């Protein structure tokens, strides 16, 4: 009896080991296949009417041929919310602004802790920081915004975060302003036209059609940033890059305007998007660059070389593979 009991115990122990090995093997297999289930791809974009939304729609149309067994859902979001969604696995891919990426990777600013499972696929075009005032305004510098009513765009978006940084570099804060109006660019233009606010600011692809129209009908001036402010911004966040709004970008703008830009980037969740999937995605984006430019001239500078040169953050292995294959990355 004791011998039989011992055999039963031994059998159960062996089965336990085998089951454990089987579970471990299954877990390893599951991890190795991470990112291969792409039946539904969630794309973090922006609100309807913005260029991100238009571009994500055009890209999702092309993705249908790259991932024929997948469907892509475009979700309205923003620079910060898209990164949070990517980090949480809500989005497979999503847009954000270059200056937001280092903050997310390091757990700073709007991010309570670092987001480590996100990588860059492509850098697309610059979002330029604008300060627009009426042509007859007495505002000529950031410091002249003291006591003035300003629209920084929608609360929590990258444009507002950039304004807060610029005010800080100018030894100012919202307390120095006469008021803040959180509205979108189109509504901000109406408020400026009607004299209800004194300035509109934002991180926007230049030229901004709303500003072009407003400059034609009413007359605008654009406020430059001081060199030391530009340098301080880049030191604080590598995603802020010096940028010049070239003369005649807007109808009444004869002079260059020195400012900063944060580049729009397409990012992927490392756990949901495999190397092979991102390789195919990167190839599709680069090889269809003419279609993106046809949608908007803001994409006119985009190439594979441009994407690598302006990259912020860590390139996804799939993107690296493609860029190396075509010789733009060593």
């Amino acid at each position: 009896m004791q011998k039989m009991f011992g055999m039963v115990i031994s059998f159960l122990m062996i089965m336990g080991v085998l089951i454990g090995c089987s579970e471990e093997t299954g877990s390893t297999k599951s991890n190795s296949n991470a990112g291969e289930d792409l039946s539904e791809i969630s794309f973090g974009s922006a609100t309807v009417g913005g260029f991100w939304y238009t571009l994500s729609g055009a890209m999702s149309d092309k993705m249908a041929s790259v991932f024929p067994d997948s469907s892509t859902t475009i979700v309205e979001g923003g620079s910060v919310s898209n990164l949070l969604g990517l980090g949480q696995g809500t989005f497979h891919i999503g847009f954000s602004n270059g200056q937001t990426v280092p903050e997310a990777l390091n757990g700073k600013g709007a991010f309570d802790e670092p987001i480590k499972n996100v990588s860059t696929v492509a850098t697309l075009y610059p979002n330029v920081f604008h300060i627009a005032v009426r042509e007859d305004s007495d505002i000529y510098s950031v410091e002249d915004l003291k006591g003035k009513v300003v629209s920084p765009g929608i609360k929590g978006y990258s444009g507002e975060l950039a304004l807060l940084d610029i005010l800080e570099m100018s030894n100012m804060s919202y307390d120095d302003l006469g008021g803040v109006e959180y509205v979108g660019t189109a509504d901000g233009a109406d408020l400026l036209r009607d004299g209800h606010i004194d300035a509109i600011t934002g991180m926007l692809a230049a030229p901004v059609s709303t500003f072009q129209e407003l400059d034609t009908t009413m007359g605008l001036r654009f406020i430059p940033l001081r060199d030391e402010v530009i340098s301080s911004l880049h030191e604080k966040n590598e995603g802020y890059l010096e940028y010049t709004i070239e003369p005649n970008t807007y109808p009444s703008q004869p002079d260059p305007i020195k400012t900063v830009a944060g580049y729009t980037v397409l990012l992927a969740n490392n756990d949901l998007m495999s190397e092979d999937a991102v390789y195919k995605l990167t190839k599709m984006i680069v090889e269809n660059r003419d279609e993106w430019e046809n949608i908007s001239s803001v994409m006119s500078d985009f190439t594979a070389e441009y994407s690598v040169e302006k990259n912020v953050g860590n390139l996804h292995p799939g993107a690296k593979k493609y860029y190396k294959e075509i010789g733009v990355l060593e």
Side-chain angles (χ1 to χ4, degrees):
M1 178 65 71
Q2 287 182 342
K3 183 177 180 180
M4 180 64 70
F5 180 77
M7 290 175 65
V8 171
I9 293 297
S10 297
F11 175 78
L12 291 175
M13 290 177 65
I14 291 170
M15 288 300 295
V17 170
L18 290 174
I19 291 170
C21 290
S22 175
E23 289 177 347
E24 184 176 350
T25 302
S27 175
T28 302
K29 183 177 180 181
S30 174
N31 290 336
S32 68
N33 289 335
E36 292 186 10
D37 180 13
L38 292 178
S39 57
E40 295 182 10
I41 300 174
S42 184
F43 196 149
S45 184
T47 53
V48 176
F51 181 58
W52 280 7
Y53 196 87
T54 303
L55 185 59
S56 60
M59 287 184 172
S60 68
D61 289 342
K62 288 293 181 182
M63 287 166 62
S65 59
V66 178
F67 306 109
D69 297 326
S70 304
S71 63
T72 301
T73 301
I74 297 171
V75 183
E76 294 185 31
S79 188
V80 173
S81 60
N82 287 348
L83 269 163
L84 290 170
L86 284 163
Q88 295 162 0
T90 304
F91 301 146
H92 290 74
I93 58 176
F95 289 135
S96 190
N97 280 321
Q99 78 277 9
T100 312
V101 175
E103 292 185 344
L105 296 178
N106 295 299
K108 295 182 178 179
F111 303 91
D112 294 332
E113 51 188 49
I115 295 177
K116 298 297 187 182
N117 58 338
V118 171
S119 299
T120 304
V121 176
T123 300
L124 304 175
Y125 66 91
N127 287 296
V128 183
F129 187 78
H130 290 70
I131 305 177
V133 302
R134 289 187 296 275
E135 194 171 35
D136 59 359
S137 170
D138 60 355
I139 300 171
Y140 291 90
S141 67
V142 173
E143 287 76 11
D144 289 340
L145 293 174
K146 290 181 179 178
K148 306 295 186 180
V149 181
V150 179
S151 170
I154 297 174
K155 186 174 179 62
Y157 274 33
S158 57
E160 189 211 8
L161 302 180
L163 175 61
L164 289 168
D165 285 338
I166 288 166
L167 290 175
E168 179 186 344
M169 301 306 169
S170 304
N171 298 313
M172 294 171 61
S173 70
Y174 275 175
D175 291 339
D176 295 299
L177 305 181
V180 176
E181 290 288 342
Y182 295 111
V183 295
T185 305
D187 289 336
D190 290 338
L191 291 175
L192 187 69
R193 181 186 290 110
D194 296 339
H196 297 305
I197 64 173
D198 301 295
I200 309 174
T201 71
M203 296 286 285
L204 304 161
V208 182
S209 58
T210 301
F211 290 167
Q212 287 179 311
E213 187 276 331
L214 204 57
D215 192 16
T216 300
T217 57
M218 185 187 72
L220 291 180
R221 275 192 296 103
F222 296 91
I223 309 304
L225 301 181
R226 291 183 286 109
D227 289 342
E228 52 268 35
V229 170
I230 294 172
S231 298
S232 297
L233 286 168
H234 183 69
E235 288 174 8
K236 178 178 181 177
N237 184 325
E238 64 179 289
Y240 287 120
L241 299 176
E242 183 175 348
Y243 188 91
T244 299
I245 303 176
E246 296 297 332
N248 303 313
T249 298
Y250 297 98
S252 301
Q253 181 231 328
D255 300 319
I257 306 297
K258 295 185 71 172
T259 182
V260 293
Y263 287 73
T264 284
V265 294
L266 178 65
L267 301 139
N269 176 290
N270 300 340
D271 303 318
L272 300 178
M273 295 293 287
S274 68
E275 178 176 330
D276 182 60
V278 173
Y279 170 87
K280 293 176 181 177
L281 179 64
T282 310
K283 179 180 174 71
M284 180 276 291
I285 290 169
V286 172
E287 293 186 352
N288 287 280
R289 55 91 50 213
D290 290 347
E291 297 204 23
W292 320 141
E293 184 179 0
N294 287 337
I295 298 171
S296 173
S297 61
V298 302
M299 290 290 291
S300 60
D301 291 333
F302 173 70
T303 62
E305 292 87 350
Y306 179 95
S307 183
V308 171
E309 177 188 345
K310 302 296 185 183
N311 179 68
V312 176
N314 306 311
L315 276 173
H316 192 285
K320 281 185 179 179
K321 179 180 177 181
Y322 176 74
Y323 292 133
K324 286 180 178 180
E325 181 179 282
I326 62 173
V328 299
L329 181 66
E330 294 183 0

